[in-house]
Amino acid sequence: MRTTDETLTKPLESLPARVRHWSGGMGLHGVMTVLSLAMILPFAWMVLTSLKTLAEAADPAWLPHTAQWGNYPEVFRVIPFLRFAANSLVVAGWVTLLQVFTSALAAYSFARLDWPGRDRVFFIYLGTMMLPGLVMLIPNYEIMVKLGLVDSYLGLVLPAAFSAFGTFLLRQFMLGIPRALDEAAEIDGASKWQIFWTVIMPLSRPGLVTLAIFTLMGNYHSFFWPLVMMRTVDKYTLPVGLLFFDSEHGQATHLLMAAVTMSVVPLIVLFVLLQRQFIRGIQIGAVKG
């Protein structure tokens, strides 16, 4: 009799729980939908404005009367767009390569090697993340002046080749790799460098890809440091080159939006190609953190 009562009451008890679970899921999806729209709207406004005339660009209406596809080839006639984009890709590519490599070396030292004062040094190194970028601007500029690297690509790349955030991200990732792998490699006669290069680096691929995407995106759109450092127009990166659309004679908003739309295409393609590794790296890093 008792078993029959429990059987009859079980669906009645689980129904409110299922309703709460369903309503909670719907609420979460609603919040995520609103946040997604909030992120997409500026991008949609940028693309639609790139198809307007200059007079329509100040119009509060979002849709252009007639799509001005000619704004895109017009960008190439006003500025050397491909030259500026190539400069941005070269600088961002070198910064990404060097920053991932140096961060991986530092993360390996902080995560896998035992040496006196390691944790204290790591926390001091981590404290540099609290410094605003503008605070480091003047010291970095003075160093570049003394090294004679002003108005050079090396001057753009060198200060950004080291990152406390990248070290922290990869250290958290490497802490999750079993130490038994290091011990097995040492028994086989591997050196510290061989363990780092042949064991740790391949296993850290999702974290490396995540850091590489973050670094590439951040430096591809970097504006203030190239603006301070570069003097020659042919060496301008794309964000600095876009200033030609905002002169004392007025702002060509429609062309500026067309140029910005084209500038984000490489990053979208890169994200689509590496999104699986990128998401996996963030998930694993979050769990390990």
Side-chain angles (χ1 to χ4, degrees):
M1 187 67 184
R2 185 178 178 183
T3 305
T4 305
D5 292 343
E6 290 179 351
T7 305
L8 291 174
T9 56
K10 187 175 181 180
L12 295 177
E13 291 176 352
S14 62
L15 181 60
R18 280 188 289 177
V19 171
R20 285 196 299 272
H21 179 73
W22 179 82
S23 60
M26 290 298 293
L28 180 61
H29 281 83
V31 172
M32 296 302 294
T33 301
V34 172
L35 291 176
S36 300
L37 289 175
M39 293 181 183
I40 290 174
L41 283 178
F43 184 78
W45 181 88
M46 177 184 71
V47 175
L48 292 173
T49 304
S50 72
L51 299 175
K52 294 180 176 179
T53 62
L54 178 58
E56 290 177 334
D59 195 331
W62 279 46
L63 295 177
H65 293 293
T66 304
Q68 305 294 322
W69 296 105
N71 290 342
Y72 286 88
E74 181 67 17
V75 169
F76 293 93
R77 285 192 286 270
V78 176
I79 64 171
F81 181 86
L82 293 178
R83 175 72 182 181
F84 293 159
N87 291 343
S88 290
L89 287 173
V90 169
V91 171
W94 274 107
V95 169
T96 301
L97 181 65
L98 292 176
Q99 192 175 118
V100 169
F101 182 67
T102 57
S103 296
L105 285 174
Y108 177 70
S109 175
F110 286 127
R112 317 293 294 191
L113 302 181
D114 296 323
W115 44 279
R118 182 192 66 178
D119 293 339
R120 291 182 180 178
V121 173
F122 174 68
F123 284 117
I124 293 173
Y125 189 54
L126 210 59
T128 60
M129 291 174 59
M130 304 299 114
L131 297 175
L134 290 177
V135 174
M136 303 300 295
L137 183 68
I138 295 177
N140 281 335
Y141 183 74
E142 289 185 350
I143 293 173
M144 293 303 108
V145 171
K146 290 180 180 178
L147 294 177
L149 297 179
V150 176
D151 197 25
S152 71
Y153 295 131
L154 186 57
L156 294 182
V157 172
L158 201 56
F162 310 93
S163 168
F165 169 74
T167 302
F168 170 74
L169 180 69
L170 295 182
R171 174 185 176 271
Q172 298 306 106
F173 197 89
M174 291 180 183
L175 284 175
I177 300 174
R179 282 192 172 271
L181 297 175
D182 300 43
E183 296 167 358
E186 287 180 354
I187 292 173
D188 290 339
S191 63
K192 296 295 184 186
W193 170 258
Q194 289 173 324
I195 295 173
F196 166 73
W197 191 253
T198 61
V199 178
I200 302 300
M201 287 292 276
L203 293 175
S204 303
R205 183 179 300 170
L208 297 172
V209 171
T210 302
L211 177 60
I213 292 178
F214 278 138
T215 306
L216 185 66
M217 292 175 64
N219 285 276
Y220 182 73
H221 290 300
S222 177
F223 172 74
F224 204 68
W225 181 244
L227 178 67
V228 171
M229 285 289 294
M230 306 313 283
R231 303 286 185 272
T232 307
V233 174
D234 286 342
K235 295 180 180 178
Y236 280 2
T237 57
L238 191 54
V240 178
L242 295 181
L243 288 177
F244 283 103
F245 294 116
D246 187 10
S247 65
E248 60 184 3
H249 303 293
Q251 187 179 62
T253 306
H254 58 315
L255 298 182
L256 178 62
M257 292 300 108
V260 174
T261 301
M262 290 189 289
S263 72
V264 301
V265 171
L267 297 182
I268 293 175
V269 172
L270 181 69
F271 177 77
V272 170
L273 293 176
L274 299 176
Q275 60 177 324
R276 183 174 299 177
Q277 298 275 356
F278 179 68
I279 294 172
R280 186 182 171 203
I282 290 180
Q283 290 175 335
I284 295 176
V287 172
K288 299 292 189 306

